[in-house]
Amino acid sequence: MLLLRDTTTTREIADTVRDHTALVRDSHAGHPDRAHLGRKFTATLKAAAGSGLYDTTLDAALVADAAGTAPEKAIDALLGKLPFLPKKALSEGGHRAFTRGLSEFLHYYESSGTTGNPVAAPKALDDLVANTINIGELWARILSPADRALILINAPFAPAAYQFEKVLEYLQVLSLRPWVDNITGDYTRVLRLTRELGVNVFVGPPSRLLEMIQFAYRNDEPVPAFDKLFLMAEQTGPAFVRHLERLTGARAYVAAYGSSETGTTAVTCEHRNLHLQTQSYVLELDGPERGPRRVDGTPDRGELVVTTLDILARPLLRYRTGDLVEITGTDCPCGVATPLLRTLGRSQDLITLEGNGIRQNDVESALWAELPDGDPGSGVQVLNYMLVVQDRTILCLATTTGPADATWSEATARRLAGLFPGFELALRPVEKLPPLASLGQYLGWKLSRVLDLNDERNWDRLPAPIRGVVETTLAEYASTTRG
C-alpha cells in the first residue's frame, strides 16, 4: 500500500496492517477483541497526556489508573471521567494537539473550517493505515479491480481526496483525481476523461457532481453515466440520493462519514448502510434531554462524541462533533455486526423562521418529488437550487434540465410553499447558480444553499446575473405587497 525506503518502518507497518485487518474482521463478525480495544484506549490516554491540548484538563491520576486497569475493563471504567473536548477548543488549539514532531507526520492537511477556524489534521503512517483498511474492507464488498473511479474533491488542504485515493489503491482500482476551478467551473476535460476512460464510479461530494451535470446540460455535453456514486462530505438525504440516481443512472451510496479531525467514523456496505468503525473509535451520544451514553447498538439519537483509538499523533478525547446522528438499532443484511448510523445533519443547518424548523431533506423532498405524468411540475427536472430569503419573501433559484415555463415554475413553487407558512415563495429558473452552491462540502448546507439577504453584506455573495434576477423578483413581490 505504501512504498517506504526504510526497511524497519516497512516491517512495522506490515505488522500494523496484519493486526488491524484482523481486528476489523473480528469486529465485523461481532467478536471484537475487548482487551485489544482497551489497550488502544490506554495508549490513547497516555499519548494525550503528552499533548498541550489537554495539559490543564486531563487528570494525571486517570492516566495512571488506566495503566493499572485490566484492558478489557479500561473503557467502561474511565471513559466517563474524561473531559469533553469542544470544537472551539480544538479549533483554537491548533498544533498543540500534536504528540509528535511535525516531521514524524507523512502529509499535512487542515479541516475545511466549515464550523470554525481550520484545524490542523496531518496524516501519520499509523493512522493512515488504520483508516485506509477501515474503509477498504467495506468498500471491497462493492468495488472490484475492474472498476474505474473519478475522485472529484476540490479540497487541497483536506485529507479526503488523498485518503480515498489510498483506499482505491488498497483495492487495486484505477482512479483519477482532477481539479476543477471553483470560479470558471469548466468540466470539459473531466467529462472527456470520464467518457474516454470508461469511468464508472464517482467519488466525491454530491454538490460537485451536480455542478458537473449542470455544466454538461448547459454546454450540450453528454451527461456522465456512472454505475456507482460514492458520496460524502455533505449531508445527503434520501431525496438527494434518488435525484442523483435519476440523473446518472447509477446506484448511489453515502459512502463514508467522518471529518478531517476524526478520520472516517462510519463506512457504507453494499446495502447502503453506514457501519460505525468501533475498532477505531469509542463513540458516545449526548443531548439536552439525556446525558452522555456509550453507543451500544440500541436505538438512540443525539450529538456524536468521538474518542479516537488509532490517531496517537493527535488523539481526541470525547470530541464534540456538533453532528446530530441516529443509531438505528437494526441488523444489516450484509452481516457486518457493527452498529448502523444515520446522519441527521448539523444543528446549525436548521432554517428557523418564526419557530418553524426546516431541514435540508424537507426542502429536497418537496423539490425533487417523483411526480405522475401529466402533473404541471413534471417533465422538466430541477438540477440544483439555492434559497434566497429577504423579509417575508423566499426565492428559490433553480437550474433545470430544459426550458421551464411559468406553469411549471408555479407548480414547483407550490410544492415548496407549504414548508414556509406566512412567507411568499417564488421559483425562478436560472442558467447558472452562484459558485456558492457547489461549495456544500466546505460551507455546509445552509451557508451554501440558503442566502439571507436581510443581512446586507450577503448581497456581495451574488454574481451580477443572479443578483439581477433576485433584485427583480424581490421588487415584484414588494410592489404586490404595497398594492
Side-chain angles (χ1 to χ4, degrees), residues 35-94:
H36 192 159
L37 294 175
R39 285 191 290 272
K40 292 211 294 183
F41 176 74
T42 299
T44 297
L45 290 190
K46 183 177 178 181
S51 163
L53 193 61
Y54 301 99
D55 54 7
T56 61
T57 58
L58 182 58
D59 188 347
L62 281 178
V63 180
D65 287 347
T69 303
E72 63 273 15
K73 298 179 180 179
I75 297 174
D76 289 336
L78 300 172
L79 180 67
K81 300 177 182 178
L82 297 177
F84 285 100
L85 178 62
K87 289 184 75 72
K88 184 178 179 182
L90 182 60
S91 180
E92 293 174 350

Side-chain angles (χ1 to χ4, degrees), residues 398-462:
T399 55
T400 60
T401 57
D405 59 20
T407 301
W408 178 89
S409 297
E410 290 166 5
T412 305
R414 281 196 296 274
R415 296 205 306 272
L416 286 170
L419 297 173
F420 305 98
F423 288 78
E424 294 282 354
L425 189 138
L427 184 140
R428 290 291 181 269
V430 294
E431 182 180 342
K432 186 178 181 181
L433 290 172
L436 202 63
S438 67
L439 301 180
Q441 72 182 105
Y442 308 103
L443 302 176
W445 175 65
K446 192 157 70 173
L447 287 178
S448 64
R449 300 292 182 85
V450 183
L451 193 62
D452 186 354
L453 294 183
N454 293 312
D455 184 341
E456 291 293 326
R457 294 171 296 181
N458 283 335
W459 280 101
D460 294 333
R461 302 175 80 181
L462 292 170

Side-chain angles (χ1 to χ4, degrees), residues 151-156 177-182 186 190 442:
I151 303 172
L152 199 56
I153 301 176
N154 272 24
R177 184 155 65 102
W179 172 267
V180 178
D181 183 83
N182 284 326
D186 188 341
V190 177
Y442 308 103

Side-chain angles (χ1 to χ4, degrees), residues 105-151:
F105 291 92
L106 194 64
H107 295 277
Y108 183 85
Y109 294 105
E110 289 186 346
S111 69
S112 63
T114 301
T115 55
N117 295 327
V119 174
K123 284 281 185 186
L125 271 172
D126 46 2
D127 66 79
L128 174 63
V129 166
N131 208 46
T132 299
I133 294 170
N134 288 347
I135 302 169
E137 286 298 297
L138 280 165
W139 283 15
R141 305 169 76 99
I142 308 167
L143 297 174
S144 79
D147 288 309
R148 302 169 191 178
L150 167 69
I151 303 172

Side-chain angles (χ1 to χ4, degrees), residues 142-268:
I142 308 167
L143 297 174
S144 79
D147 288 309
R148 302 169 191 178
L150 167 69
I151 303 172
L152 199 56
I153 301 176
N154 272 24
F157 287 110
Y162 173 75
Q163 176 64 83
F164 296 132
E165 188 175 57
K166 291 291 116 184
V167 173
L168 293 170
E169 284 180 10
Y170 179 73
L171 299 175
Q172 295 180 272
V173 172
L174 169 72
S175 68
L176 61 152
R177 184 155 65 102
W179 172 267
V180 178
D181 183 83
N182 284 326
I183 303 302
T184 63
D186 188 341
Y187 290 84
T188 304
R189 187 176 188 182
V190 177
L191 290 168
R192 175 180 63 79
L193 287 170
T194 299
R195 290 193 302 272
E196 291 179 355
L197 300 178
V199 170
N200 69 315
V201 179
F202 173 87
V203 180
S207 290
R208 185 61 58 185
L209 177 58
L210 274 182
E211 181 86 357
M212 180 168 66
I213 294 170
Q214 178 180 300
F215 180 90
Y217 271 103
R218 197 169 62 247
N219 292 276
D220 294 321
E221 291 257 17
V223 174
F226 298 100
D227 296 328
K228 304 157 194 170
L229 306 178
F230 277 47
L231 308 172
M232 70 279 295
E234 297 174 27
Q235 175 66 13
T236 313
F240 204 168
V241 167
R242 287 193 299 271
H243 176 58
L244 292 172
E245 288 182 327
R246 287 196 296 266
L247 290 172
T248 63
R251 181 172 175 82
Y253 302 82
V254 178
Y257 162 78
S259 68
S260 300
E261 305 96 295
T262 64
T264 307
T265 49
V267 182
T268 190

